[in-house]
PDB file of all heavy atoms in Angstrom:
ATOM      1  N   ASP A  24       0.732  -1.212   0.079  1.00 88.00           N
ATOM      2  CA  ASP A  24      -0.006   0.072   0.044  1.00 88.00           C
ATOM      3  C   ASP A  24       0.755   1.279   0.049  1.00 88.00           C
ATOM      4  O   ASP A  24       0.341   2.457   0.109  1.00 88.00           O
ATOM      5  CB  ASP A  24      -0.987  -0.057   1.156  1.00 88.00           C
ATOM      6  CG  ASP A  24      -0.205   0.002   2.578  1.00 88.00           C
ATOM      7  OD1 ASP A  24       0.907   0.194   2.623  1.00 88.00           O
ATOM      8  OD2 ASP A  24      -0.874  -0.082   3.568  1.00 88.00           O
ATOM      9  N   GLY A  25       2.237   1.128  -0.095  1.00 90.00           N
ATOM     10  CA  GLY A  25       3.096   2.249  -0.118  1.00 90.00           C
ATOM     11  C   GLY A  25       3.747   2.689   1.177  1.00 90.00           C
ATOM     12  O   GLY A  25       4.641   3.466   1.141  1.00 90.00           O
ATOM     13  N   ARG A  26       3.279   2.111   2.254  1.00 92.00           N
ATOM     14  CA  ARG A  26       3.956   2.409   3.464  1.00 92.00           C
ATOM     15  C   ARG A  26       5.442   1.864   3.455  1.00 92.00           C
ATOM     16  O   ARG A  26       5.565   0.842   2.889  1.00 92.00           O
ATOM     17  CB  ARG A  26       3.197   1.954   4.678  1.00 92.00           C
ATOM     18  CG  ARG A  26       1.827   2.615   5.116  1.00 92.00           C
ATOM     19  CD  ARG A  26       1.184   2.002   6.231  1.00 92.00           C
ATOM     20  NE  ARG A  26       0.681   0.745   5.810  1.00 92.00           N
ATOM     21  CZ  ARG A  26       0.334  -0.295   6.685  1.00 92.00           C
ATOM     22  NH1 ARG A  26       0.444   0.012   8.016  1.00 92.00           N
ATOM     23  NH2 ARG A  26      -0.113  -1.458   6.366  1.00 92.00           N
ATOM     24  N   ARG A  27       6.257   2.581   4.185  1.00 93.00           N
ATOM     25  CA  ARG A  27       7.616   2.069   4.169  1.00 93.00           C
ATOM     26  C   ARG A  27       8.379   2.437   5.575  1.00 93.00           C
ATOM     27  O   ARG A  27       8.007   3.452   6.117  1.00 93.00           O
ATOM     28  CB  ARG A  27       8.456   2.596   3.029  1.00 93.00           C
ATOM     29  CG  ARG A  27       8.610   4.091   2.765  1.00 93.00           C
ATOM     30  CD  ARG A  27       9.096   4.445   1.596  1.00 93.00           C
ATOM     31  NE  ARG A  27      10.553   4.205   1.391  1.00 93.00           N
ATOM     32  CZ  ARG A  27      11.107   3.703   0.341  1.00 93.00           C
ATOM     33  NH1 ARG A  27      10.385   3.541  -0.690  1.00 93.00           N
ATOM     34  NH2 ARG A  27      12.336   3.351   0.240  1.00 93.00           N
ATOM     35  N   TRP A  28       9.324   1.600   5.942  1.00 95.00           N
ATOM     36  CA  TRP A  28      10.095   1.864   7.194  1.00 95.00           C
ATOM     37  C   TRP A  28      11.570   1.863   6.684  1.00 95.00           C
ATOM     38  O   TRP A  28      11.969   0.981   5.975  1.00 95.00           O
ATOM     39  CB  TRP A  28       9.919   0.932   8.238  1.00 95.00           C
ATOM     40  CG  TRP A  28       8.611   0.834   8.927  1.00 95.00           C
ATOM     41  CD1 TRP A  28       8.300   1.530  10.078  1.00 95.00           C
ATOM     42  CD2 TRP A  28       7.257   0.486   8.430  1.00 95.00           C
ATOM     43  NE1 TRP A  28       7.053   1.547  10.373  1.00 95.00           N
ATOM     44  CE2 TRP A  28       6.307   0.903   9.547  1.00 95.00           C
ATOM     45  CE3 TRP A  28       6.880  -0.083   7.293  1.00 95.00           C
ATOM     46  CZ2 TRP A  28       4.904   0.607   9.249  1.00 95.00           C
ATOM     47  CZ3 TRP A  28       5.531  -0.373   7.148  1.00 95.00           C
ATOM     48  CH2 TRP A  28       4.491  -0.075   8.178  1.00 95.00           C
ATOM     49  N   GLU A  29      12.372   2.916   6.998  1.00 95.00           N
ATOM     50  CA  GLU A  29      13.782   3.034   6.629  1.00 95.00           C
ATOM     51  C   GLU A  29      14.728   2.574   7.846  1.00 95.00           C
ATOM     52  O   GLU A  29      14.224   2.780   9.015  1.00 95.00           O
ATOM     53  CB  GLU A  29      14.075   4.449   6.182  1.00 95.00           C
ATOM     54  CG  GLU A  29      13.191   4.936   5.020  1.00 95.00           C
ATOM     55  CD  GLU A  29      13.700   4.544   3.660  1.00 95.00           C
ATOM     56  OE1 GLU A  29      14.781   3.883   3.495  1.00 95.00           O
ATOM     57  OE2 GLU A  29      12.945   4.670   2.670  1.00 95.00           O
ATOM     58  N   ASP A  30      15.815   2.236   7.452  1.00 94.00           N
ATOM     59  CA  ASP A  30      16.945   2.048   8.514  1.00 94.00           C
ATOM     60  C   ASP A  30      16.469   1.136   9.590  1.00 94.00           C
ATOM     61  O   ASP A  30      16.811   1.401  10.748  1.00 94.00           O
ATOM     62  CB  ASP A  30      17.574   3.256   8.903  1.00 94.00           C
ATOM     63  CG  ASP A  30      18.097   4.166   7.767  1.00 94.00           C
ATOM     64  OD1 ASP A  30      18.792   3.623   7.004  1.00 94.00           O
ATOM     65  OD2 ASP A  30      18.004   5.447   7.853  1.00 94.00           O
ATOM     66  N   VAL A  31      15.875   0.025   9.293  1.00 94.00           N
ATOM     67  CA  VAL A  31      15.441  -0.884  10.367  1.00 94.00           C
ATOM     68  C   VAL A  31      16.631  -1.915  10.572  1.00 94.00           C
ATOM     69  O   VAL A  31      17.070  -2.567   9.625  1.00 94.00           O
ATOM     70  CB  VAL A  31      14.198  -1.736   9.855  1.00 94.00           C
ATOM     71  CG1 VAL A  31      13.752  -2.800  10.805  1.00 94.00           C
ATOM     72  CG2 VAL A  31      13.063  -0.840   9.457  1.00 94.00           C
ATOM     73  N   PRO A  32      17.062  -1.948  11.809  1.00 91.00           N
ATOM     74  CA  PRO A  32      18.160  -2.872  12.044  1.00 91.00           C
ATOM     75  C   PRO A  32      17.740  -4.405  11.976  1.00 91.00           C
ATOM     76  O   PRO A  32      16.538  -4.687  12.336  1.00 91.00           O
ATOM     77  CB  PRO A  32      18.421  -2.606  13.562  1.00 91.00           C
ATOM     78  CG  PRO A  32      17.924  -1.301  13.843  1.00 91.00           C
ATOM     79  CD  PRO A  32      16.746  -1.106  13.022  1.00 91.00           C
ATOM     80  N   ALA A  33      18.450  -5.144  11.293  1.00 90.00           N
ATOM     81  CA  ALA A  33      18.225  -6.511  11.032  1.00 90.00           C
ATOM     82  C   ALA A  33      19.421  -7.438  10.885  1.00 90.00           C
ATOM     83  O   ALA A  33      20.487  -6.876  10.706  1.00 90.00           O
ATOM     84  CB  ALA A  33      17.310  -6.653   9.713  1.00 90.00           C
ATOM     85  N   SER A  34      19.115  -8.738  10.941  1.00 86.00           N
ATOM     86  CA  SER A  34      20.283  -9.761  10.673  1.00 86.00           C
ATOM     87  C   SER A  34      19.681 -10.594   9.551  1.00 86.00           C
ATOM     88  O   SER A  34      18.775 -11.372   9.819  1.00 86.00           O
ATOM     89  CB  SER A  34      20.612 -10.525  11.996  1.00 86.00           C
ATOM     90  OG  SER A  34      21.542 -11.544  11.582  1.00 86.00           O
ATOM     91  N   VAL A  35      20.275 -10.522   8.372  1.00 87.00           N
ATOM     92  CA  VAL A  35      19.907 -11.249   7.358  1.00 87.00           C
ATOM     93  C   VAL A  35      20.728 -12.497   7.230  1.00 87.00           C
ATOM     94  O   VAL A  35      21.822 -12.469   6.863  1.00 87.00           O
ATOM     95  CB  VAL A  35      19.951 -10.454   5.954  1.00 87.00           C
ATOM     96  CG1 VAL A  35      19.523 -11.092   4.803  1.00 87.00           C
ATOM     97  CG2 VAL A  35      19.268  -9.199   6.116  1.00 87.00           C
ATOM     98  N   GLN A  36      20.029 -13.664   7.254  1.00 82.00           N
ATOM     99  CA  GLN A  36      20.667 -14.998   7.336  1.00 82.00           C
ATOM    100  C   GLN A  36      20.133 -15.614   6.093  1.00 82.00           C
ATOM    101  O   GLN A  36      19.391 -15.227   5.442  1.00 82.00           O
ATOM    102  CB  GLN A  36      20.397 -15.801   8.598  1.00 82.00           C
ATOM    103  CG  GLN A  36      20.869 -14.988   9.859  1.00 82.00           C
ATOM    104  CD  GLN A  36      22.274 -14.787  10.029  1.00 82.00           C
ATOM    105  OE1 GLN A  36      23.011 -15.733   9.559  1.00 82.00           O
ATOM    106  NE2 GLN A  36      22.667 -13.709  10.679  1.00 82.00           N
ATOM    107  N   SER A  37      20.781 -16.958   5.821  1.00 79.00           N
ATOM    108  CA  SER A  37      20.420 -17.552   4.656  1.00 79.00           C
ATOM    109  C   SER A  37      19.112 -18.131   4.686  1.00 79.00           C
ATOM    110  O   SER A  37      18.377 -18.242   3.640  1.00 79.00           O
ATOM    111  CB  SER A  37      21.433 -18.712   4.400  1.00 79.00           C
ATOM    112  OG  SER A  37      21.332 -19.587   5.549  1.00 79.00           O
ATOM    113  N   LYS A  38      18.428 -18.357   5.799  1.00 80.00           N
ATOM    114  CA  LYS A  38      17.105 -19.007   5.946  1.00 80.00           C
ATOM    115  C   LYS A  38      16.109 -17.966   6.597  1.00 80.00           C
ATOM    116  O   LYS A  38      14.966 -18.277   6.582  1.00 80.00           O
ATOM    117  CB  LYS A  38      17.140 -20.309   6.763  1.00 80.00           C
ATOM    118  CG  LYS A  38      18.018 -21.356   5.858  1.00 80.00           C
ATOM    119  CD  LYS A  38      17.738 -22.664   6.653  1.00 80.00           C
ATOM    120  CE  LYS A  38      18.678 -23.788   5.873  1.00 80.00           C
ATOM    121  NZ  LYS A  38      18.187 -24.118   4.455  1.00 80.00           N
ATOM    122  N   ALA A  39      16.465 -16.934   7.123  1.00 85.00           N
ATOM    123  CA  ALA A  39      15.664 -16.067   7.872  1.00 85.00           C
ATOM    124  C   ALA A  39      16.180 -14.719   8.143  1.00 85.00           C
ATOM    125  O   ALA A  39      17.376 -14.475   8.023  1.00 85.00           O
ATOM    126  CB  ALA A  39      15.228 -16.580   9.281  1.00 85.00           C
ATOM    127  N   ILE A  40      15.325 -13.708   8.064  1.00 89.00           N
ATOM    128  CA  ILE A  40      15.684 -12.338   8.421  1.00 89.00           C
ATOM    129  C   ILE A  40      15.150 -11.949   9.901  1.00 89.00           C
ATOM    130  O   ILE A  40      14.032 -12.084  10.219  1.00 89.00           O
ATOM    131  CB  ILE A  40      15.046 -11.286   7.502  1.00 89.00           C
ATOM    132  CG1 ILE A  40      15.541 -11.678   6.132  1.00 89.00           C
ATOM    133  CG2 ILE A  40      15.409  -9.821   7.833  1.00 89.00           C
ATOM    134  CD1 ILE A  40      14.819 -10.837   5.060  1.00 89.00           C
ATOM    135  N   PHE A  41      16.122 -11.670  10.730  1.00 88.00           N
ATOM    136  CA  PHE A  41      15.830 -11.425  12.245  1.00 88.00           C
ATOM    137  C   PHE A  41      15.597  -9.862  12.400  1.00 88.00           C
ATOM    138  O   PHE A  41      16.379  -9.121  12.060  1.00 88.00           O
ATOM    139  CB  PHE A  41      16.861 -11.867  13.175  1.00 88.00           C
ATOM    140  CG  PHE A  41      17.064 -13.312  13.165  1.00 88.00           C
ATOM    141  CD1 PHE A  41      17.765 -14.061  12.120  1.00 88.00           C
ATOM    142  CD2 PHE A  41      16.603 -13.991  14.207  1.00 88.00           C
ATOM    143  CE1 PHE A  41      17.943 -15.410  12.233  1.00 88.00           C
ATOM    144  CE2 PHE A  41      16.714 -15.456  14.205  1.00 88.00           C
ATOM    145  CZ  PHE A  41      17.377 -16.150  13.220  1.00 88.00           C
ATOM    146  N   ILE A  42      14.443  -9.413  12.801  1.00 89.00           N
ATOM    147  CA  ILE A  42      14.115  -8.162  13.029  1.00 89.00           C
ATOM    148  C   ILE A  42      13.419  -8.026  14.504  1.00 89.00           C
ATOM    149  O   ILE A  42      12.585  -8.661  14.841  1.00 89.00           O
ATOM    150  CB  ILE A  42      13.111  -7.593  11.996  1.00 89.00           C
ATOM    151  CG1 ILE A  42      13.616  -7.681  10.635  1.00 89.00           C
ATOM    152  CG2 ILE A  42      12.587  -6.061  12.307  1.00 89.00           C
ATOM    153  CD1 ILE A  42      12.703  -7.252   9.571  1.00 89.00           C
ATOM    154  N   HIS A  43      14.113  -7.105  15.299  1.00 86.00           N
ATOM    155  CA  HIS A  43      13.629  -6.978  16.738  1.00 86.00           C
ATOM    156  C   HIS A  43      12.550  -5.758  16.779  1.00 86.00           C
ATOM    157  O   HIS A  43      11.718  -5.823  17.895  1.00 86.00           O
ATOM    158  CB  HIS A  43      14.781  -6.674  17.643  1.00 86.00           C
ATOM    159  CG  HIS A  43      15.551  -7.969  17.882  1.00 86.00           C
ATOM    160  ND1 HIS A  43      16.728  -7.856  18.590  1.00 86.00           N
ATOM    161  CD2 HIS A  43      15.406  -9.287  17.607  1.00 86.00           C
ATOM    162  CE1 HIS A  43      17.252  -9.132  18.516  1.00 86.00           C
ATOM    163  NE2 HIS A  43      16.462  -9.872  18.041  1.00 86.00           N
ATOM    164  N   ASP A  44      12.306  -5.075  15.849  1.00 90.00           N
ATOM    165  CA  ASP A  44      11.315  -3.952  16.121  1.00 90.00           C
ATOM    166  C   ASP A  44      10.011  -4.586  15.627  1.00 90.00           C
ATOM    167  O   ASP A  44       9.522  -4.454  14.551  1.00 90.00           O
ATOM    168  CB  ASP A  44      11.773  -2.730  15.052  1.00 90.00           C
ATOM    169  CG  ASP A  44      10.762  -1.553  15.430  1.00 90.00           C
ATOM    170  OD1 ASP A  44       9.791  -1.720  16.065  1.00 90.00           O
ATOM    171  OD2 ASP A  44      11.069  -0.587  14.892  1.00 90.00           O
ATOM    172  N   VAL A  45       9.275  -5.050  16.597  1.00 91.00           N
ATOM    173  CA  VAL A  45       8.023  -5.756  16.340  1.00 91.00           C
ATOM    174  C   VAL A  45       6.909  -4.685  16.265  1.00 91.00           C
ATOM    175  O   VAL A  45       5.686  -5.198  16.058  1.00 91.00           O
ATOM    176  CB  VAL A  45       7.748  -6.880  17.356  1.00 91.00           C
ATOM    177  CG1 VAL A  45       8.699  -8.047  17.256  1.00 91.00           C
ATOM    178  CG2 VAL A  45       7.776  -6.338  18.929  1.00 91.00           C
ATOM    179  N   SER A  46       7.231  -3.366  16.479  1.00 93.00           N
ATOM    180  CA  SER A  46       6.091  -2.337  16.275  1.00 93.00           C
ATOM    181  C   SER A  46       5.735  -2.341  14.744  1.00 93.00           C
ATOM    182  O   SER A  46       4.663  -1.745  14.458  1.00 93.00           O
ATOM    183  CB  SER A  46       6.464  -1.070  16.867  1.00 93.00           C
ATOM    184  OG  SER A  46       7.627  -0.579  16.065  1.00 93.00           O
ATOM    185  N   ILE A  47       6.612  -2.806  13.957  1.00 94.00           N
ATOM    186  CA  ILE A  47       6.340  -2.862  12.515  1.00 94.00           C
ATOM    187  C   ILE A  47       5.495  -3.889  12.090  1.00 94.00           C
ATOM    188  O   ILE A  47       5.851  -5.085  12.537  1.00 94.00           O
ATOM    189  CB  ILE A  47       7.708  -2.931  11.687  1.00 94.00           C
ATOM    190  CG1 ILE A  47       8.603  -1.764  11.938  1.00 94.00           C
ATOM    191  CG2 ILE A  47       7.433  -3.031  10.135  1.00 94.00           C
ATOM    192  CD1 ILE A  47       9.965  -1.769  11.357  1.00 94.00           C
ATOM    193  N   PRO A  48       4.430  -3.656  11.482  1.00 95.00           N
ATOM    194  CA  PRO A  48       3.436  -4.815  11.120  1.00 95.00           C
ATOM    195  C   PRO A  48       3.959  -5.618  10.030  1.00 95.00           C
ATOM    196  O   PRO A  48       3.401  -5.582   8.972  1.00 95.00           O
ATOM    197  CB  PRO A  48       2.124  -3.979  11.116  1.00 95.00           C
ATOM    198  CG  PRO A  48       2.605  -2.748  10.363  1.00 95.00           C
ATOM    199  CD  PRO A  48       3.901  -2.365  11.052  1.00 95.00           C
ATOM    200  N   LEU A  49       4.873  -6.499  10.238  1.00 95.00           N
ATOM    201  CA  LEU A  49       5.391  -7.301   9.092  1.00 95.00           C
ATOM    202  C   LEU A  49       4.501  -8.432   8.672  1.00 95.00           C
ATOM    203  O   LEU A  49       3.887  -9.067   9.579  1.00 95.00           O
ATOM    204  CB  LEU A  49       6.779  -7.967   9.531  1.00 95.00           C
ATOM    205  CG  LEU A  49       7.630  -8.514   8.474  1.00 95.00           C
ATOM    206  CD1 LEU A  49       8.240  -7.457   7.561  1.00 95.00           C
ATOM    207  CD2 LEU A  49       8.812  -9.320   9.098  1.00 95.00           C
ATOM    208  N   GLU A  50       4.289  -8.563   7.443  1.00 95.00           N
ATOM    209  CA  GLU A  50       3.202  -9.392   6.941  1.00 95.00           C
ATOM    210  C   GLU A  50       3.638 -10.070   5.659  1.00 95.00           C
ATOM    211  O   GLU A  50       4.629  -9.638   4.991  1.00 95.00           O
ATOM    212  CB  GLU A  50       1.895  -8.557   6.583  1.00 95.00           C
ATOM    213  CG  GLU A  50       1.262  -7.962   7.691  1.00 95.00           C
ATOM    214  CD  GLU A  50       0.111  -7.005   7.289  1.00 95.00           C
ATOM    215  OE1 GLU A  50       0.393  -5.894   6.722  1.00 95.00           O
ATOM    216  OE2 GLU A  50      -0.995  -7.422   7.723  1.00 95.00           O
ATOM    217  N   VAL A  51       3.015 -11.226   5.371  1.00 94.00           N
ATOM    218  CA  VAL A  51       3.332 -11.931   4.052  1.00 94.00           C
ATOM    219  C   VAL A  51       3.072 -11.021   2.871  1.00 94.00           C
ATOM    220  O   VAL A  51       2.076 -10.180   2.794  1.00 94.00           O
ATOM    221  CB  VAL A  51       2.394 -13.147   3.900  1.00 94.00           C
ATOM    222  CG1 VAL A  51       2.592 -13.804   2.515  1.00 94.00           C
ATOM    223  CG2 VAL A  51       2.679 -14.067   5.104  1.00 94.00           C
ATOM    224  N   GLY A  52       4.062 -10.983   2.045  1.00 93.00           N
ATOM    225  CA  GLY A  52       4.020 -10.136   0.868  1.00 93.00           C
ATOM    226  C   GLY A  52       4.731  -8.881   0.974  1.00 93.00           C
ATOM    227  O   GLY A  52       5.051  -8.111  -0.098  1.00 93.00           O
ATOM    228  N   ASP A  53       5.150  -8.438   2.110  1.00 94.00           N
ATOM    229  CA  ASP A  53       5.984  -7.258   2.368  1.00 94.00           C
ATOM    230  C   ASP A  53       7.469  -7.438   1.671  1.00 94.00           C
ATOM    231  O   ASP A  53       7.821  -8.639   1.705  1.00 94.00           O
ATOM    232  CB  ASP A  53       6.182  -6.917   3.802  1.00 94.00           C
ATOM    233  CG  ASP A  53       4.901  -6.334   4.445  1.00 94.00           C
ATOM    234  OD1 ASP A  53       3.895  -6.120   3.792  1.00 94.00           O
ATOM    235  OD2 ASP A  53       4.917  -6.248   5.737  1.00 94.00           O
ATOM    236  N   ILE A  54       8.054  -6.406   1.197  1.00 94.00           N
ATOM    237  CA  ILE A  54       9.378  -6.493   0.674  1.00 94.00           C
ATOM    238  C   ILE A  54      10.382  -5.807   1.650  1.00 94.00           C
ATOM    239  O   ILE A  54      10.120  -4.780   2.245  1.00 94.00           O
ATOM    240  CB  ILE A  54       9.398  -5.654  -0.628  1.00 94.00           C
ATOM    241  CG1 ILE A  54       8.346  -6.307  -1.615  1.00 94.00           C
ATOM    242  CG2 ILE A  54      10.775  -5.677  -1.157  1.00 94.00           C
ATOM    243  CD1 ILE A  54       8.681  -7.746  -2.233  1.00 94.00           C
ATOM    244  N   VAL A  55      11.451  -6.570   1.740  1.00 94.00           N
ATOM    245  CA  VAL A  55      12.602  -5.999   2.635  1.00 94.00           C
ATOM    246  C   VAL A  55      13.658  -5.864   1.497  1.00 94.00           C
ATOM    247  O   VAL A  55      14.119  -6.869   0.859  1.00 94.00           O
ATOM    248  CB  VAL A  55      12.998  -7.276   3.693  1.00 94.00           C
ATOM    249  CG1 VAL A  55      14.235  -6.707   4.448  1.00 94.00           C
ATOM    250  CG2 VAL A  55      11.782  -7.422   4.622  1.00 94.00           C
ATOM    251  N   GLU A  56      14.293  -4.642   1.670  1.00 93.00           N
ATOM    252  CA  GLU A  56      15.441  -4.305   0.842  1.00 93.00           C
ATOM    253  C   GLU A  56      16.598  -4.131   1.618  1.00 93.00           C
ATOM    254  O   GLU A  56      16.601  -3.492   2.840  1.00 93.00           O
ATOM    255  CB  GLU A  56      15.051  -3.042  -0.051  1.00 93.00           C
ATOM    256  CG  GLU A  56      14.047  -3.154  -1.106  1.00 93.00           C
ATOM    257  CD  GLU A  56      13.933  -1.924  -1.827  1.00 93.00           C
ATOM    258  OE1 GLU A  56      14.352  -0.802  -1.343  1.00 93.00           O
ATOM    259  OE2 GLU A  56      13.355  -1.989  -3.020  1.00 93.00           O
ATOM    260  N   ARG A  57      17.669  -4.637   1.069  1.00 92.00           N
ATOM    261  CA  ARG A  57      19.054  -4.465   1.678  1.00 92.00           C
ATOM    262  C   ARG A  57      20.010  -4.010   0.585  1.00 92.00           C
ATOM    263  O   ARG A  57      20.224  -4.400  -0.398  1.00 92.00           O
ATOM    264  CB  ARG A  57      19.575  -5.661   2.275  1.00 92.00           C
ATOM    265  CG  ARG A  57      20.966  -5.699   2.910  1.00 92.00           C
ATOM    266  CD  ARG A  57      21.374  -6.810   3.681  1.00 92.00           C
ATOM    267  NE  ARG A  57      21.673  -7.996   2.821  1.00 92.00           N
ATOM    268  CZ  ARG A  57      22.297  -9.073   3.124  1.00 92.00           C
ATOM    269  NH1 ARG A  57      22.906  -9.157   4.437  1.00 92.00           N
ATOM    270  NH2 ARG A  57      22.540 -10.034   2.406  1.00 92.00           N
ATOM    271  N   ASP A  58      20.807  -2.785   0.978  1.00 90.00           N
ATOM    272  CA  ASP A  58      21.884  -2.214   0.208  1.00 90.00           C
ATOM    273  C   ASP A  58      23.114  -2.978   0.439  1.00 90.00           C
ATOM    274  O   ASP A  58      23.510  -2.892   1.719  1.00 90.00           O
ATOM    275  CB  ASP A  58      21.952  -0.699   0.451  1.00 90.00           C
ATOM    276  CG  ASP A  58      20.573   0.030   0.068  1.00 90.00           C
ATOM    277  OD1 ASP A  58      19.963  -0.322  -0.899  1.00 90.00           O
ATOM    278  OD2 ASP A  58      20.407   1.058   0.684  1.00 90.00           O
ATOM    279  N   LEU A  59      23.780  -3.452  -0.516  1.00 87.00           N
ATOM    280  CA  LEU A  59      25.134  -4.117  -0.264  1.00 87.00           C
ATOM    281  C   LEU A  59      26.099  -3.080  -0.542  1.00 87.00           C
ATOM    282  O   LEU A  59      25.965  -2.078  -1.264  1.00 87.00           O
ATOM    283  CB  LEU A  59      25.225  -5.286  -1.303  1.00 87.00           C
ATOM    284  CG  LEU A  59      24.170  -6.462  -1.186  1.00 87.00           C
ATOM    285  CD1 LEU A  59      24.480  -7.559  -2.230  1.00 87.00           C
ATOM    286  CD2 LEU A  59      24.134  -6.955   0.146  1.00 87.00           C
ATOM    287  N   PRO A  60      27.415  -3.451  -0.061  1.00 86.00           N
ATOM    288  CA  PRO A  60      28.513  -2.485  -0.248  1.00 86.00           C
ATOM    289  C   PRO A  60      28.678  -2.139  -1.638  1.00 86.00           C
ATOM    290  O   PRO A  60      29.273  -1.166  -2.154  1.00 86.00           O
ATOM    291  CB  PRO A  60      29.645  -3.095   0.401  1.00 86.00           C
ATOM    292  CG  PRO A  60      29.098  -4.064   1.412  1.00 86.00           C
ATOM    293  CD  PRO A  60      27.845  -4.462   0.834  1.00 86.00           C
ATOM    294  N   SER A  61      28.417  -3.147  -2.598  1.00 85.00           N
ATOM    295  CA  SER A  61      28.647  -2.944  -3.989  1.00 85.00           C
ATOM    296  C   SER A  61      27.569  -2.089  -4.642  1.00 85.00           C
ATOM    297  O   SER A  61      27.588  -1.703  -5.923  1.00 85.00           O
ATOM    298  CB  SER A  61      28.580  -4.287  -4.768  1.00 85.00           C
ATOM    299  OG  SER A  61      27.404  -4.892  -4.642  1.00 85.00           O
ATOM    300  N   ARG A  62      26.598  -1.655  -3.860  1.00 83.00           N
ATOM    301  CA  ARG A  62      25.562  -0.670  -4.337  1.00 83.00           C
ATOM    302  C   ARG A  62      24.441  -1.503  -4.980  1.00 83.00           C
ATOM    303  O   ARG A  62      23.447  -0.959  -5.456  1.00 83.00           O
ATOM    304  CB  ARG A  62      26.030   0.421  -5.210  1.00 83.00           C
ATOM    305  CG  ARG A  62      26.907   1.366  -4.439  1.00 83.00           C
ATOM    306  CD  ARG A  62      27.433   2.452  -5.301  1.00 83.00           C
ATOM    307  NE  ARG A  62      26.540   3.028  -6.225  1.00 83.00           N
ATOM    308  CZ  ARG A  62      26.835   3.214  -7.544  1.00 83.00           C
ATOM    309  NH1 ARG A  62      28.051   2.989  -7.902  1.00 83.00           N
ATOM    310  NH2 ARG A  62      25.791   3.866  -8.279  1.00 83.00           N
ATOM    311  N   VAL A  63      24.610  -2.797  -5.115  1.00 87.00           N
ATOM    312  CA  VAL A  63      23.515  -3.734  -5.467  1.00 87.00           C
ATOM    313  C   VAL A  63      22.440  -3.706  -4.287  1.00 87.00           C
ATOM    314  O   VAL A  63      22.821  -3.778  -3.208  1.00 87.00           O
ATOM    315  CB  VAL A  63      23.954  -5.134  -5.866  1.00 87.00           C
ATOM    316  CG1 VAL A  63      22.844  -6.083  -5.940  1.00 87.00           C
ATOM    317  CG2 VAL A  63      24.800  -5.195  -6.912  1.00 87.00           C
TER     318      VAL A  63
END
């Protein structure tokens, strides 16, 4: 629906993404973006 949260601390692992800010209503279908050092 266009809502977004920026700079959310997370741990991105091979099988799961750990996020401690549970005030964010994370749901199926949401997109998580991560910027790599290569700018990818």
